[in-house]
């Protein structure tokens, strides 16, 4: 079980990477639970999230400074290699001395590097479920990563739907397991 935030981040990246490597050549245009996205769009999104980390955390740039540098197709002809490079760069930026203690400027304001890392870790976990569903892979997430993600998402879950990036939270059935609760918080039915 991971013990530090960096270990949690690495575990989430490994999990998502396993699913990226499992995408078949004919599956890149398949639909995902993220209704606006294909498999390629979803992997592009999570890859892009990792590519944002170095300019924001390492270089101290703002979202406005980066502008549209990381817009569009980030996967090129080899999505799996693009993911691996982005994941390595993102993790290395968070692992740099002092990175988790820095204040960085995100679209919603100043944030500690540790909070940004936690947010991206939980997002990667949930998108692993999305990708698993889309490609027909095992969609059971590791219990420890689910619990980490619930703790991360719970404080701001009610406001996520208002951002327009998430569906409304779903009602959680009595006795639901942790994965079902996490998915429901984010408007997904497991």
């Amino acid at each position: 079980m991971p013990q530090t935030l960096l270990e949690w981040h690495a575990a989430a990246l490994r999990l998502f990477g396993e699913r990226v490597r499992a995408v078949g050549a004919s599956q890149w245009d398949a639909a995902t639970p993220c209704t606006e996205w294909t498999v390629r769009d979803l992997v592009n999104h999570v890859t892009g999230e990792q590519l944002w980390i170095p300019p924001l955390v390492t270089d101290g740039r703002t979202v406005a400074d980066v502008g549209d540098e990381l817009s569009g197709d980030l996967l090129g002809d080899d999505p799996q290699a693009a993911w691996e490079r982005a994941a390595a760069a993102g993790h290395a930026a968070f692992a740099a001395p002092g990175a988790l203690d820095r204040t960085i400027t995100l679209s919603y304001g100043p944030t500690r590097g540790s909070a940004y890392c936690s947010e991206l870790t939980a997002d990667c976990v949930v998108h692993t479920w999305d990708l698993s569903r889309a490609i027909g892979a095992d969609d059971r997430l590791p219990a420890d990563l689910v619990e980490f993600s619930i703790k991360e998402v719970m404080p701001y879950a009610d406001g996520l739907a208002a951002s327009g990036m998430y569906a409304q939270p779903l009602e959680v059935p009595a006795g639901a397991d942790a994965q079902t609760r996490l998915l429901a918080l984010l408007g997904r039915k497991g």
Side-chain angles (χ1 to χ4, degrees):
M1 177 190 297
Q3 298 296 313
T4 68
L5 179 54
L6 289 173
E7 289 171 338
W8 288 110
H9 184 248
L13 295 175
R14 279 191 305 274
L15 185 65
F16 190 78
E18 289 170 8
R19 296 310 188 278
V20 171
R21 288 186 296 281
V23 176
S26 65
Q27 294 179 306
W28 289 101
D29 291 326
T32 70
C34 303
T35 57
E36 304 293 318
W37 289 341
T38 65
V39 166
R40 186 176 179 90
D41 296 331
L42 174 65
V43 173
N44 192 67
H45 165 73
V46 182
T47 298
E49 287 185 324
Q50 299 308 308
L51 291 174
W52 274 93
I53 300 166
L56 297 177
V57 174
T58 305
D59 302 340
R61 296 169 68 190
T62 66
V63 171
D65 294 337
V66 176
D68 63 0
E69 289 175 30
L70 296 172
S71 296
D73 178 31
L74 304 170
L75 301 179
D77 293 336
D78 191 347
Q80 294 164 341
W83 160 254
E84 295 297 333
R85 284 189 303 273
H91 190 71
F94 277 139
L100 297 178
D101 296 322
R102 281 189 198 114
T103 299
I104 55 173
T105 305
L106 299 176
S107 58
Y108 52 82
T111 305
R112 283 183 65 92
S114 58
Y116 185 38
C117 185
S118 293
E119 177 185 323
L120 292 185
T121 299
D123 195 65
C124 193
V125 170
V126 173
H127 284 316
T128 298
W129 181 85
D130 294 328
L131 183 55
S132 298
R133 277 288 172 106
I135 65 171
D138 181 6
D139 66 3
R140 291 299 312 164
L141 300 168
D144 55 349
L145 281 170
V146 169
E147 290 295 338
F148 174 92
S149 300
I150 288 173
K151 289 175 187 167
E152 168 58 25
V153 171
M154 188 68 77
Y156 53 82
D158 290 342
L160 290 174
S163 73
M165 296 173 62
Y166 294 87
Q168 289 291 333
L170 303 175
E171 192 163 323
V172 180
D177 65 12
Q179 180 169 316
T180 301
R181 290 193 326 269
L182 172 64
L183 296 171
L185 280 171
L186 300 171
R188 290 161 168 86
K189 186 172 182 161

